[in-house]
């Protein structure tokens, strides 16, 4: 998700609300089982420059893997160096 003009803490808050919404899902499956999905989200913000989209997505991807390493089902942030 791209959030132009959004500061990193605000973007992290939006990601956290999304994570909680996914965590609250209960998806019926076969044989009476229920699927309870979770999501790990990486959030990145551009510094004072204008990074390429590829670079910004790479930072968000790194933050997502950091969230997974820290136990999954969480939001992790990574600000691009200015």
């Amino acid at each position: 998700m791209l959030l132009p003009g959004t500061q990193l803490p605000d973007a992290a808050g939006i990601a956290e609300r999304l994570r909680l919404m996914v965590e609250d899902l209960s998806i019926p499956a076969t044989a009476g089982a229920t699927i309870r999905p979770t999501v790990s989200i990486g959030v990145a913000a551009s510094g004072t420059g204008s990074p390429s989209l590829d670079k910004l997505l790479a930072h968000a991807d790194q933050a997502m893997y950091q969230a997974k390493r820290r136990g999954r089902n969480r939001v992790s942030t990574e600000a691009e160096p200015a």
Side-chain angles (χ1 to χ4, degrees):
M1 172 183 321
L2 296 176
L3 302 168
T6 306
Q7 298 297 314
L8 186 63
D10 295 328
I14 292 167
E16 178 64 13
R17 287 195 307 272
L18 176 62
R19 186 194 69 76
L20 290 171
M21 289 171 63
V22 170
E23 184 180 64
D24 284 343
L25 292 174
S26 181
I27 303 167
T30 59
T34 302
I35 298 171
R36 301 291 306 220
T38 61
V39 62
S40 297
I41 302 172
V43 181
S46 61
T48 56
S50 295
S52 70
L53 180 58
D54 287 340
K55 189 173 182 181
L56 191 56
L57 290 175
H59 283 274
D61 196 47
Q62 289 172 3
M64 187 244 338
Y65 281 108
Q66 180 181 33
K68 289 179 178 285
R69 285 191 301 273
R70 290 182 174 171
R72 301 182 183 227
N73 193 32
R74 63 184 61 222
V75 173
S76 184
T77 61
E78 180 174 307
E80 180 191 356

